[in-house]
């Protein structure tokens, strides 16, 4: 009986989920799975060059092997490079969001809890960081430090933390005045324990909304930096570097730009739609509108 009741509850909840959210969730899941299992799915080595098959159109066959999405300027299979490029873009975006979330939320909770000079220093630093365009700061920092996977993760993560800090700061100010927080203080709980066990769970909803919005932005920023030659370096594949290579051949080999560009569009679009739905579910004010 309980199993039937649970199944009924699940069906009822699924009916409340818009069709668009279900579709983009499936698209996002497929992209993530293809990226994770790229070594098993990719038909070729992404860096294997076949100069006799360079700039061939999708569906081209050579020595009994089919290049379903065509080849690039060095005869490398575009399907394989796109799959491996998805791993890079998702990896950079995930790690960058983790870095910016940890830094931003920690500083925001500290500023909102301790107040005083700590609050002044942190929030003025946030104002300074937000007055500088993030993409410009990222370009300048990468140009100084040099390209590389981990450098790119740190640069992107450390340029986007102020948004998390502002959200965490405002939410901490609200939660810190609630009765159960005061009761924890009277019971002798320390500041770190209160912040981690009581404040953080109660501000997680707004932070999750920011995470979904920032995730898509991180993907675009990584692709943009790689397109400019400041991100992932050849021969490693990333969507931005693939499109950068293909721009000079766009008239005769449009697929080099179109394939990773379409993948980038699908990924960011799916994340944004899912993020908007999560915002509506987690923010009562948006639901009331």
């Amino acid at each position: 009986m309980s199993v039937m009741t649970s199944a009924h509850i699940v069906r009822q909840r699924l009916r409340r989920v818009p069709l668009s959210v279900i579709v983009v969730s499936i698209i996002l899941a497929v992209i993530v799975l293809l990226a994770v299992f790229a070594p098993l799915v990719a038909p070729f080595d992404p860096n294997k060059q076949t100069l006799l098959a360079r700039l061939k159109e999708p569906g081209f066959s050579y020595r009994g092997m089919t290049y379903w999405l065509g080849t690039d300027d060095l005869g490398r299979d575009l399907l394989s490079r796109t799959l491996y490029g998805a791993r890079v873009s998702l990896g950079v975006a995930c790690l960058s969001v983790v870095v910016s979330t940890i830094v931003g939320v920690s500083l925001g909770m500290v500023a909102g809890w301790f107040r005083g000079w700590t609050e002044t220093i942190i929030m003025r630093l946030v104002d300074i960081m937000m007055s500088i365009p993030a993409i410009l700061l990222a370009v300048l920092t990468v140009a100084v430090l040099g390209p590389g996977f981990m450098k790119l993760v740190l640069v992107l993560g450390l340029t986007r933390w102020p948004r998390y800090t502002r959200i965490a700061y405002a939410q901490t100010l609200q939660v810190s005045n609630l009765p159960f927080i005061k009761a924890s203080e009277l019971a002798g709980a320390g500041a770190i324990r209160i912040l981690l066990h009581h404040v953080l769970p109660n501000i997680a909803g707004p932070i999750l909304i920011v995470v979904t919005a920032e995730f898509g932005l991180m993907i675009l920023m990584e692709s943009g930096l790689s397109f400019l030659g400041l991100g992932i370096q050849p021969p490693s594949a990333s969507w931005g570097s693939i499109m950068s290579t293909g721009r000079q051949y766009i008239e005769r080999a449009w697929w080099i730009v179109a394939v990773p560009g379409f993948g980038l569009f699908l990924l960011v679009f799916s994340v944004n739609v899912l993020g908007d739905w999560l915002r509506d579910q987690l923010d009562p004010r948006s639901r009331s509108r």
Side-chain angles (χ1 to χ4, degrees):
M1 186 68 178
S2 59
V3 175
M4 295 180 62
T5 304
S6 301
H8 178 70
I9 294 175
V10 171
R11 285 196 299 269
Q12 290 294 328
R13 291 181 177 178
L14 286 176
R15 289 175 184 173
R16 298 175 185 173
V17 179
L19 179 61
S20 59
V21 174
I22 297 176
V23 172
V24 297
S25 298
I26 294 173
I27 293 174
L28 186 59
V30 170
I31 294 176
V32 171
L33 289 175
L34 288 175
V36 171
F37 296 103
L40 301 177
V41 178
F44 297 93
D45 181 342
N47 297 321
K48 181 182 178 181
Q49 301 180 13
T50 308
L51 297 180
L52 294 177
R54 64 189 300 267
L55 300 178
K56 296 301 182 180
E57 67 280 356
F60 170 76
S61 296
Y62 179 74
R63 293 183 178 178
M65 295 180 292
T66 302
Y67 297 85
W68 296 108
L69 295 181
T71 61
D72 64 5
D73 59 319
L74 296 176
R76 295 171 296 191
D77 179 53
L78 191 57
L79 173 58
S80 301
R81 290 187 63 77
T82 302
L83 292 175
Y84 276 84
R87 302 186 83 192
V88 173
S89 295
L90 287 171
V92 170
C94 289
L95 293 177
S96 300
V97 167
V98 169
V99 171
S100 57
T101 302
I102 292 175
V103 174
V105 172
S106 299
L107 291 176
M109 289 196 302
V110 168
W113 181 261
F114 291 102
R115 308 294 296 273
W117 61 268
T118 304
E119 173 191 20
T120 301
I121 293 175
I122 292 176
M123 298 314 296
R124 294 299 76 77
L125 180 60
V126 169
D127 292 336
I128 293 173
M129 291 292 294
M130 296 196 73
S131 66
I132 305 173
I135 186 64
L136 176 60
L137 182 61
V139 168
L140 293 176
T141 307
V142 172
V144 173
L145 297 179
F149 183 89
M150 290 309 302
K151 291 179 181 178
L152 190 59
V153 168
L154 292 176
V155 167
L156 293 179
L158 295 178
T159 55
R160 297 301 301 173
W161 62 266
R163 187 177 179 187
Y164 294 91
T165 301
R166 280 194 167 181
I167 297 296
Y169 168 71
Q171 295 295 318
T172 301
L173 288 179
Q174 295 180 5
V175 174
S176 61
N177 293 320
L178 296 178
F180 70 91
I181 298 294
K182 299 299 182 182
S184 298
E185 289 185 272
L186 293 175
I192 296 179
R193 179 178 177 82
I194 293 175
L195 289 175
L196 293 180
H197 293 273
H198 300 292
V199 175
L200 183 58
N202 285 278
I203 67 174
I207 292 173
L208 180 60
I209 297 172
V210 179
V211 167
T212 56
E214 289 290 307
F215 186 76
L217 180 61
M218 289 294 186
I219 296 173
L220 291 176
M221 290 182 68
E222 182 278 325
S223 298
L225 291 174
S226 296
F227 184 86
L228 295 174
L230 298 174
I232 305 301
Q233 298 298 297
S236 298
S238 79
W239 285 348
S241 62
I242 295 173
M243 289 187 287
S244 179
T245 301
R247 62 179 173 175
Q248 55 187 318
Y249 304 104
I250 194 167
E251 292 185 357
R252 55 184 294 199
W254 54 266
W255 51 88
I256 302 178
V257 175
V259 171
F262 185 65
L264 183 63
F265 161 75
L266 281 180
L267 180 57
V268 176
F269 176 75
S270 300
V271 171
N272 288 342
V273 172
L274 190 60
D276 288 342
W277 179 75
L278 285 175
R279 180 198 60 201
D280 294 338
Q281 300 303 308
L282 297 175
D283 188 354
R285 290 172 297 181
S286 64
R287 282 203 304 269
S288 62
R289 290 197 296 267

